[in-house]
Amino acid sequence: MLPNWKATLYTSLEPCPMCMARLITSAVNRVLYAAPDMTGGMVHRIEDMPPFWIELGEGKVFSHARSSQELINAANEIFLLNLDELFEKLKNR
């Protein structure tokens, strides 16, 4: 049984499918993200999840946070820096 408390997670980027599934099964009731991820994000595609996951996530809030454009840009830049680093590591394998 999950604890009877409410938690909010603030994150820089929209959760990916794996993160979304983990968050649905967590005690986190609300997820607010600074920057959308139109390629890998799952919040804007939640209807693409299996019905079981959609039903399990009912009552939880996944939403774009009210953020300044500067914060949104910074979140995207950090993500892209990490992505570039990952691609570089994969090339050097």
Side-chain angles (χ1 to χ4, degrees), residues 1-45:
M1 182 174 208
L2 294 176
N4 191 20
W5 49 272
K6 300 200 183 301
T8 299
L9 173 71
Y10 295 90
T11 183
S12 57
L13 197 63
E14 178 181 354
C16 71
M18 290 187 332
C19 292
M20 187 79 163
R22 293 284 188 227
L23 290 166
I24 286 172
T25 60
S26 76
V28 174
N29 295 74
R30 185 169 67 150
V31 177
L32 301 175
Y33 57 91
D37 181 356
M38 299 314 290
T39 304
M42 198 67 211
V43 175
H44 71 276
R45 299 181 303 153

Side-chain angles (χ1 to χ4, degrees), residues 41-88:
M42 198 67 211
V43 175
H44 71 276
R45 299 181 303 153
I46 195 162
E47 69 279 350
D48 293 339
M49 291 187 86
F52 169 80
W53 287 103
I54 295 170
E55 185 178 322
L56 196 59
E58 285 180 9
K60 295 194 177 223
V61 175
F62 295 89
S63 180
H64 190 272
R66 283 184 280 150
S67 308
S68 69
Q69 191 59 50
E70 287 176 332
L71 180 60
I72 294 168
N73 293 345
N76 279 318
E77 286 176 29
I78 290 167
F79 172 71
L80 291 174
L81 284 172
N82 290 333
L83 189 61
D84 288 343
E85 183 179 318
L86 176 62
F87 283 143
E88 192 61 36

